[in-house]
């Protein structure tokens, strides 16, 4: 059975960078058995109801500004998978989770930057899912749990976001991580490792430096969804951890 994953997507520029994190993602894509499909939840698609992309030929969305021109020319030509989209819709609906198919959505940079590193040939069909940042973590987890059966048919479930994602406090001239960023990630890792859901679901009340680390919920929400997809065994492994510009956590988790 395929594990589920949470990957930080960092800056859009990671797609053209060579560093420890991009090397890790490229290597992981070579080591893992190629999935039959990818269901990926992106922090950059927010909606009030759970949306599921069903576009057979999704465009590459360049949903950012102020970056090098070459980045806007990047294309990730993965195809969609209507059968997988409909299966996701069926699973969510069966669990009482309101959801809708979206036939127009392309792949935003929370999707194609990561997948360009993991599967550069774009030869795995991709279905993107939105996040509702207004949902509490228990509800995000429930969404992932409803999707866990997809893993048995070799669908890779990915949450794309960031455990510490504070763009307002970036330090462009250093890679040294802020102490508060490290402390929040360390607390989060300790709770994830033992699957301490009560504490994790109350991270806003119990986690250290939450206001600095999680100024908005949408980038942490995919973590709970990918964890929910690992609810059966409740086994977690931190695969990679580093920081970019001091306050941007580049972490990768695997859940079974």
């Amino acid at each position: 059975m395929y594990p589920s994953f949470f990957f930080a997507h960092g800056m859009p520029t990671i797609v053209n960078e060579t560093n420890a994190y991009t090397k890790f993602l490229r290597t992981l894509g070579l080591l893992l058995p190629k999935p039959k499909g990818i269901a990926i939840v992106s922090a950059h698609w927010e909606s009030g109801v759970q949306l599921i992309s069903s576009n057979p030929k999704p465009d590459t969305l360049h949903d950012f500004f102020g970056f090098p021109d070459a980045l806007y020319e990047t294309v990730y030509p993965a195809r969609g998978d209507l059968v997988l989209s409909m299966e996701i819709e069926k699973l969510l609906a069966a669990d009482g989770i309101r959801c809708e198919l979206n036939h127009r959505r392309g792949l935003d940079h929370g999707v194609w930057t990561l997948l360009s590193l993991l599967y550069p040939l774009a030869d795995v069909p991709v279905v993107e899912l939105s996040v509702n940042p207004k949902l509490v973590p228990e509800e995000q987890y429930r969404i992932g749990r409803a999707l866990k059966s997809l893993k048995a048919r070799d669908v890779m479930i990915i949450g794309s976001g960031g455990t510490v994602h504070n763009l307002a406090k970036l330090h462009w001239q250093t890679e040294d991580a802020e102490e508060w960023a490290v402390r929040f990630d360390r607390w989060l890792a300790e709770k994830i490792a033992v699957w301490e859901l009560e504490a994790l679901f109350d991270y806003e009340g119990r986690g250290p430096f939450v206001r600095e680390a999680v100024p908005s919920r949408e980038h942490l929400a995919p973590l709970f969804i990918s964890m929910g997809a690992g609810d059966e065994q409740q086994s977690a492994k931190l695969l990679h951890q580093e920081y970019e510009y001091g306050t941007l956590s580049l972490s990768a988790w695997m859940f079974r």
Side-chain angles (χ1 to χ4, degrees):
M1 181 178 290
Y2 228 94
S4 58
F5 295 91
F6 172 82
F7 297 121
H9 56 247
M11 289 289 189
T13 48
I14 68 165
V15 72
N16 294 323
E17 293 174 349
T18 300
N19 54 42
Y21 189 52
T22 60
K23 289 178 182 178
F24 157 76
L25 289 171
R26 290 188 179 101
T27 301
L28 185 66
L30 293 172
L31 294 176
L32 290 172
K34 184 176 293 184
K36 294 179 180 177
I38 295 172
I40 180 166
V41 182
S42 173
H44 287 279
W45 188 13
E46 296 183 42
S47 63
V49 60
Q50 181 62 61
L51 297 178
I52 306 153
S53 71
S54 54
N55 189 338
K57 295 182 179 180
D59 294 329
T60 303
L61 302 179
H62 301 95
D63 51 332
F64 44 76
F65 61 91
F67 288 93
D69 291 344
L71 202 57
Y72 298 90
E73 299 171 3
T74 302
V75 175
Y76 189 74
R79 69 186 189 278
D81 185 336
L82 181 58
V83 173
L84 177 56
S85 298
M86 293 176 68
E87 185 172 356
I88 291 170
E89 180 187 34
K90 182 178 179 180
L91 289 171
L92 294 175
D95 204 55
I97 299 168
R98 185 182 165 214
C99 58
E100 297 174 5
L101 296 179
N102 185 296
H103 302 289
R104 300 177 300 279
R105 180 71 179 184
L107 304 178
D108 62 56
H109 79 273
V111 174
W112 60 262
T113 53
L114 289 175
L115 297 187
S116 293
L117 297 168
L118 286 165
Y119 299 107
L121 297 180
D123 53 353
V124 180
V126 179
V127 173
E128 181 174 349
L129 288 83
S130 67
V131 295
N132 180 355
K134 293 183 179 180
L135 297 180
V136 296
E138 293 96 322
E139 293 172 303
Q140 308 287 5
Y141 188 92
R142 178 186 171 196
I143 291 169
R145 189 172 57 199
L147 300 177
K148 66 181 181 180
S149 64
L150 293 174
K151 301 187 300 179
R153 71 176 198 84
D154 296 330
V155 172
M156 179 190 280
I157 299 172
I158 298 174
S160 170
T163 53
V164 176
H165 191 88
N166 193 330
L167 301 184
K169 293 183 178 293
L170 293 181
H171 300 312
W172 295 103
Q173 304 304 320
T174 181
E175 298 298 321
D176 294 335
E178 288 275 12
E179 177 63 21
W180 56 261
V182 174
R183 286 184 60 183
F184 179 78
D185 263 340
R186 187 179 298 143
W187 178 88
L188 199 66
E190 290 171 355
K191 303 307 178 186
I192 292 173
V194 294
W195 218 269
E196 194 173 331
L197 294 181
E198 182 179 348
L200 288 167
F201 290 165
D202 187 30
Y203 77 89
E204 290 179 310
R206 304 190 193 189
F209 302 102
V210 172
R211 290 185 180 181
E212 293 86 352
V214 191
S216 55
R217 292 177 171 181
E218 78 285 342
H219 273 76
L220 194 56
L223 172 70
F224 294 112
I225 295 175
S226 53
M227 272 193 81
D231 180 74
E232 190 167 2
Q233 295 186 33
Q234 297 191 351
S235 172
K237 184 176 182 180
L238 181 61
L239 302 178
H240 189 90
Q241 178 70 70
E242 65 176 287
Y243 295 86
E244 191 174 35
Y245 307 121
T247 68
L248 202 59
S249 177
L250 299 179
S251 57
W253 283 93
M254 180 175 68
F255 305 110
R256 293 188 180 274

